[in-house]
Amino acid sequence: MCYNLLVIMKSKPKPNHGRRNQESRRALLEALKEMLIQHPLSSISIEVVAERAGVSKQTIYRWYHDKSALFIDLYETESVDRLMIPDMGSVEKELNELALQTWRFWRETACGQAFRQLVARCQSNLHASNQLRDDFMPRRRLFVTQILNRAVARGEIENGDCEVFTDLWVGFNWYHLLTNSLNDESIIPTMVSILLSGVMRK
Amino acid sequence: MCYNLLVIMKSKPKPNHGRRNQESRRALLEALKEMLIQHPLSSISIEVVAERAGVSKQTIYRWYHDKSALFIDLYETESVDRLMIPDMGSVEKELNELALQTWRFWRETACGQAFRQLVARCQSNLHASNQLRDDFMPRRRLFVTQILNRAVARGEIENGDCEVFTDLWVGFNWYHLLTNSLNDESIIPTMVSILLSGVMRK
Amino acid sequence: MCYNLLVIMKSKPKPNHGRRNQESRRALLEALKEMLIQHPLSSISIEVVAERAGVSKQTIYRWYHDKSALFIDLYETESVDRLMIPDMGSVEKELNELALQTWRFWRETACGQAFRQLVARCQSNLHASNQLRDDFMPRRRLFVTQILNRAVARGEIENGDCEVFTDLWVGFNWYHLLTNSLNDESIIPTMVSILLSGVMRK
Amino acid sequence: MCYNLLVIMKSKPKPNHGRRNQESRRALLEALKEMLIQHPLSSISIEVVAERAGVSKQTIYRWYHDKSALFIDLYETESVDRLMIPDMGSVEKELNELALQTWRFWRETACGQAFRQLVARCQSNLHASNQLRDDFMPRRRLFVTQILNRAVARGEIENGDCEVFTDLWVGFNWYHLLTNSLNDESIIPTMVSILLSGVMRK
DNA sequence: TCGTAATCGAGACGGTACGTCGTGTCTTGCC
DNA sequence: GGCAAGACACGACGTACCGTCTCGATTACGA
């Protein structure tokens, strides 16, 4: 049910028998993006998104279980490769870069504010909550584990405790996002160094 | 409009002629508390709370601006300081204990659910957000810094980076609360040990 | 659930605690009446009636199970006392008068066309069908049985077979309504005389 | 667009290159017939008929203008002339038999339900309405007039008022069909006797 | 023998309406 | 004045069918 961007993009361009209409998907995400600039996610109804995108409600429900899923599609589409950190030869450099990019992405696009709304919404919607935890977050956490895996390969850090490390990483960033404190980037290196101390090879 | 706990507590013990009915307030919070145990936040409507408490909707709206305000009243009423960890001679033990107590407090009382609602509300309310960051959280963070200060005094850890350490600490716990994953307590020691590595005296 | 006109009209004028808002009921029927002039019932949605009457959908559903019930309220309100035939001393005269009045009522107001739509609708809606048979028609049939009862009292006709007589009566009129043949009133006396032969006292 | 039975029946027995697939037409009517037995008309959607018949919606719309047209095709296909009553020597016996057969035909085949749909459709379609009154009904009424004619020949009844008699007859049956009350056959003799009283030779 | 043209299944789509739910406001009459 | 009761306008929900529209596979026919 959940739409997979990459698979679609790689499939041959010959379109449409009973397959998803890419045009309507694009219009949908575009409409949502524009609306997110002015309104919090919670005040944006599926009804209005559909109307604005020139798409029927049913089409939304066909591809997305709810508003959150729609936003997630947008979020992932927008953040693709912005948070893909290249090999910089050092886990410390890469983690610093990832945190910096994440904070900037959140500050500079509508996505930061929108993600806050998404988290908020999940606090009163069981399905959205499960989806966030089991579907969306694992994909986000990959950006971190990728870096960690490279570091393991380089022999920089021990292999293990990767999940808890990522919990701490994500928690730190969420906390700053959710309390509106993404401004002081100077604390990032400290955070990285505290975390790395716990996993560095002696 | 928003109900202020202290004012009520100072009012005479047998008041009531046109003043707020304490009985209905108590019934309201009680009903809410019971429901939070069994039902996800999402499925609790003001309508149902009112009915269960035997209170009219109007009475709720007279005293609370909206649903969140009701949850917050519950949270503040319930949250006694059961998170004060005594000196156990070791920062590691104390931090483990604090995390454990925090998770249990959130899991076993309605407060975890209520706090989630509080955080959610702050994502679309600037004033609430500032209050959370500048007023409420500093008090909560004291539970951690207190332990850290004792550890510094004992010579266990370096003095410094306390704020970032606490950010990581709080972030980790929030993350697990907000994603509904407070069940697996076995990861707590790992978390504590990673964090402490970054600040332990060599 | 089904609204009873007479009870309301007789109740004391002091209005409204949780009681039905008469103004919105009036607006509703008025809106429906106007729309029936231009559109068949089947093409009139509850949504639009509500909007036109300046009333919320919920309010309609509170008082009427479905569109048919709403129309029935209108129909009965409109036809009240138009089809109440006074004692004319002779069952034959009275039945002739009743048929004449019925045909004219159907021809001259929106109600005839609307009633056709109502019957049509009942052919594909079980609930509407039951309501028509068990709720609405018994009240309509009273206009006939009233006349028959008077005739029995006068000794004009036998007491019995009243139901079948009324079936025949109603069927005849329905048939002419549903086949768009309400024009030739000259057949009415023949119909009356055939029917009466079967029940007259010898 | 509207499918014409006769044209099909005259077409060569083994046609089909881009011609209509008889198998899917048969499956369609069969599915419809079966569903009419168990489900009220209201709950039968084109979508479900198509699925049950293993036929695509498009195929239905290619051959029928709308849902009613589909029902009508069924009615005309199914309605063989099983209502031809033989001479039984008595008009009363014959009329009783005719009513009984009619009711059973409507109850036991899908045709009763289909005919209800036909009548319903005529209430918002002038052309269909005229056709019903001027084309279809006269043929149906023949079953009655035939019996009446025989009775006149036998000298049982007066010659005259045949049309009004038939109006009453048909109206009575329609009324019971359209209100879903074809179950209590015990009222039929009463109906016959009332009607006959009005036309019997003294 | 191979187009070619229409039918067919599948099913996505834009629509319209549905009937329900929840919010927050309002009114009434009791206390 | 607070309060229970409950009607109300509003807005959104998620679902059900409608009738239209591609698409690619199938199937005869006629060149």
Side-chain angles (χ1 to χ4, degrees), chain A residues 94-117:
Chain A
E94 293 174 10
L95 287 176
N96 268 290
E97 183 63 16
L98 177 61
L100 222 57
Q101 290 301 330
T102 304
W103 284 34
R104 287 185 183 161
F105 173 59
W106 281 345
R107 279 205 315 264
E108 291 163 14
T109 72
C111 288
Q113 291 305 313
F115 184 52
R116 293 177 65 182
Q117 304 303 326

Side-chain angles (χ1 to χ4, degrees), chain D residues 2-20:
Chain D
C2 190
Y3 176 70
N4 184 316
L5 179 61
L6 298 176
V7 167
I8 292 298
M9 292 178 72
K10 282 174 187 164
S11 65
K12 282 176 264 159
K14 282 193 175 182
N16 269 16
H17 83 284
R19 288 289 184 285
R20 177 165 193 190

Side-chain angles (χ1 to χ4, degrees), chain B residues 9-10 57 68 78 97 109 114 117 128 137 177 180 194:
Chain B
M9 292 179 72
K10 283 174 188 164
K57 270 203 301 177
S68 308
E78 289 289 309
E97 185 62 16
T109 73
Q117 183 76 14
M137 283 313 296
L177 173 67
N180 239 340
I194 291 179

Side-chain angles (χ1 to χ4, degrees), chain C residues 125-176:
Chain C
N125 180 318
L126 192 54
H127 180 273
S129 178
N130 292 339
Q131 189 182 19
L132 178 73
R133 185 186 59 237
D134 302 330
D135 231 65
F136 178 76
M137 285 314 296
R139 281 199 298 276
R140 296 280 112 194
R141 293 164 69 104
L142 277 181
F143 293 124
V144 186
T145 45
Q146 201 166 51
I147 291 173
L148 295 183
N149 288 340
R150 278 203 297 255
V152 170
R154 276 191 219 103
E156 287 182 292
I157 65 173
E158 303 278 359
N159 189 358
D161 302 336
C162 186
E163 284 300 302
V164 178
F165 183 99
T166 310
D167 285 357
L168 281 159
W169 175 272
V170 172
F172 179 86
N173 287 317
W174 276 32
Y175 178 67
H176 279 271

Side-chain angles (χ1 to χ4, degrees), chain D residues 50-116:
Chain D
E51 187 181 5
R52 173 136 179 185
V55 146
S56 81
K57 271 204 298 177
Q58 183 61 345
T59 298
I60 297 183
Y61 284 108
R62 202 180 338 267
W63 302 108
Y64 302 97
H65 177 266
D66 63 10
K67 190 156 70 160
S68 308
L70 182 59
F71 280 90
I72 291 167
D73 189 7
L74 173 66
Y75 190 82
E76 302 206 322
T77 303
E78 289 289 307
S79 94
V80 279
D81 289 350
R82 64 180 268 185
L83 300 179
M84 195 70 72
I85 306 299
D87 190 330
M88 302 168 80
S90 142
V91 65
E92 184 156 19
K93 277 187 193 157
E94 293 174 11
L95 286 177
N96 267 291
E97 184 62 16
L98 177 61
L100 223 55
Q101 291 301 330
T102 304
W103 284 33
R104 288 184 181 161
F105 171 60
W106 280 344
R107 273 205 320 266
E108 291 163 12
T109 72
C111 287
Q113 296 300 318
F115 185 52
R116 294 176 65 182

Side-chain angles (χ1 to χ4, degrees), chain A residues 25-43:
Chain A
R25 171 171 177 268
R26 202 203 48 71
L28 223 34
L29 297 187
E30 194 56 36
L32 186 54
K33 192 160 65 170
E34 285 169 17
M35 299 180 73
L36 276 171
I37 293 168
Q38 297 151 6
H39 313 87
L41 182 63
S42 60
S43 78

Side-chain angles (χ1 to χ4, degrees), chain D residues 145-184:
Chain D
T145 45
Q146 204 165 50
I147 290 172
L148 295 182
N149 288 340
R150 278 204 296 256
V152 170
R154 277 191 219 106
E156 287 182 293
I157 65 173
E158 302 277 0
N159 188 358
D161 302 336
C162 188
E163 283 301 301
V164 177
F165 183 99
T166 309
D167 284 356
L168 281 159
W169 176 271
V170 171
F172 179 86
N173 288 317
W174 275 33
Y175 177 69
H176 279 272
L177 174 66
L178 298 178
T179 56
N180 238 341
S181 10
L182 292 177
N183 302 303
D184 180 15

Side-chain angles (χ1 to χ4, degrees), chain A:
Chain A
M1 178 64 64
C2 188
Y3 176 71
N4 186 317
L5 178 62
L6 297 177
V7 167
I8 293 296
M9 291 179 72
K10 281 175 189 162
S11 68
K12 287 173 257 161
K14 67 172 173 181
N16 270 16
H17 125 258
R19 269 184 283 295
R20 179 165 190 189
N21 181 341
Q22 288 305 310
E23 181 47 37
S24 68
R25 171 171 177 268
R26 202 203 48 71
L28 223 34
L29 297 187
E30 194 56 36
L32 186 54
K33 192 160 65 170
E34 285 169 17
M35 299 180 73
L36 276 171
I37 293 168
Q38 297 151 6
H39 313 87
L41 182 63
S42 60
S43 78
I44 299 176
S45 73
I46 291 221
E47 214 127 31
V48 173
V49 175
E51 188 181 2
R52 175 139 179 182
V55 144
S56 81
K57 264 203 299 181
Q58 192 58 265
T59 296
I60 296 185
Y61 284 110
R62 198 181 342 266
W63 301 107
Y64 303 99
H65 179 273
D66 63 7
K67 222 183 349 180
S68 308
L70 180 57
F71 167 71
I72 286 173
D73 192 4
L74 172 65
Y75 190 87
E76 301 201 320
T77 302
E78 290 289 309
S79 70
V80 130
D81 76 25
R82 167 138 194 180
L83 299 180
M84 194 72 73
I85 306 301
D87 190 328
M88 302 167 81
S90 141
V91 65
E92 185 158 17
K93 277 188 194 158
E94 293 174 10
L95 287 176
N96 268 290
E97 183 63 16
L98 177 61
L100 222 57
Q101 290 301 330
T102 304
W103 284 34
R104 287 185 183 161
F105 173 59
W106 281 345
R107 279 205 315 264
E108 291 163 14
T109 72
C111 288
Q113 291 305 313
F115 184 52
R116 293 177 65 182
Q117 304 303 326
L118 177 63
V119 174
R121 176 187 163 75
C122 289
Q123 304 319 309
S124 55
N125 180 318
L126 191 53
H127 180 274
S129 177
N130 291 338
Q131 189 182 18
L132 178 73
R133 186 186 57 238
D134 302 329
D135 232 65
F136 178 76
M137 285 312 297
R139 280 199 298 276
R140 294 281 111 196
R141 292 164 68 104
L142 277 181
F143 292 124
V144 186
T145 43
Q146 204 167 48
I147 291 172
L148 296 182
N149 287 340
R150 278 204 297 255
V152 169
R154 276 193 219 105
E156 287 182 293
I157 66 173
E158 303 276 0
N159 189 359
D161 301 337
C162 187
E163 284 300 302
V164 178
F165 183 100
T166 310
D167 285 357
L168 282 160
W169 175 272
V170 171
F172 178 86
N173 288 315
W174 276 33
Y175 178 66
H176 280 272
L177 174 68
L178 298 178
T179 56
N180 237 341
S181 4
L182 291 176
N183 301 303
D184 180 13
E185 295 177 347
S186 72
I187 64 174
I188 290 180
T190 310
M191 179 272 288
V192 170
S193 103
I194 291 180
L195 280 186
L196 280 181
S197 306
V199 292
M200 288 303 267
R201 197 167 215 120
K202 279 115 225 171

